Amino acid sequence: MTQLTIWLVIGFLGQVLFGMRFVVQWIRSEREGHSIIPVAFWYFSVAGGVTLLSYALWRQDPVFIVGQAGGLLIYGRNLFFIWRDRRRAAAPGS
């Protein structure tokens, strides 16, 4: 397998991971009967974003790099809020 083939597989894997967040969100919203963003949405966002950022770095594409890096900050911040809120809810006296 060539280096190009390996990186194409990584790029497509990132796209699949990134796309899964929409599938997860859609299924959960259908079940709830209104728009919901489950925690899995953010985990797929991070996994897909990191994978796509790796691919963008290999491609040396500054537009793609900035877009993915910026998104990762937002996804990470949302996970931080979720983890913080769960810790607070689990704390004694909550």
Side-chain angles (χ1 to χ4, degrees), residues 70-85:
L72 283 170
L73 293 173
I74 295 166
Y75 314 145
R77 186 71 172 153
N78 277 288
L79 283 171
F80 167 79
F81 288 139
I82 291 166
W83 296 333
R84 183 194 64 195
D85 293 346

Side-chain angles (χ1 to χ4, degrees), residues 23-58:
V23 173
V24 166
Q25 191 273 332
W26 172 52
I27 291 169
R28 179 70 184 272
S29 293
E30 287 293 331
R31 286 183 181 160
E32 298 287 330
H34 59 95
S35 183
I36 290 274
I37 299 178
V39 176
F41 178 93
W42 300 113
Y43 284 110
F44 276 114
S45 296
V46 168
V50 166
T51 308
L52 288 172
L53 178 59
S54 299
Y55 180 73
L57 288 167
W58 177 75

Side-chain angles (χ1 to χ4, degrees), residues 3 6-15 17 46-61 64-69 72:
Q3 184 181 19
I6 291 168
W7 279 107
L8 285 172
V9 168
I10 290 170
F12 281 116
L13 174 62
Q15 284 298 105
L17 289 169
V46 168
V50 166
T51 308
L52 288 172
L53 178 59
S54 299
Y55 180 73
L57 288 167
W58 177 75
R59 298 278 308 195
Q60 298 178 359
D61 184 329
F64 199 8
I65 291 167
V66 169
Q68 290 304 317
L72 283 170

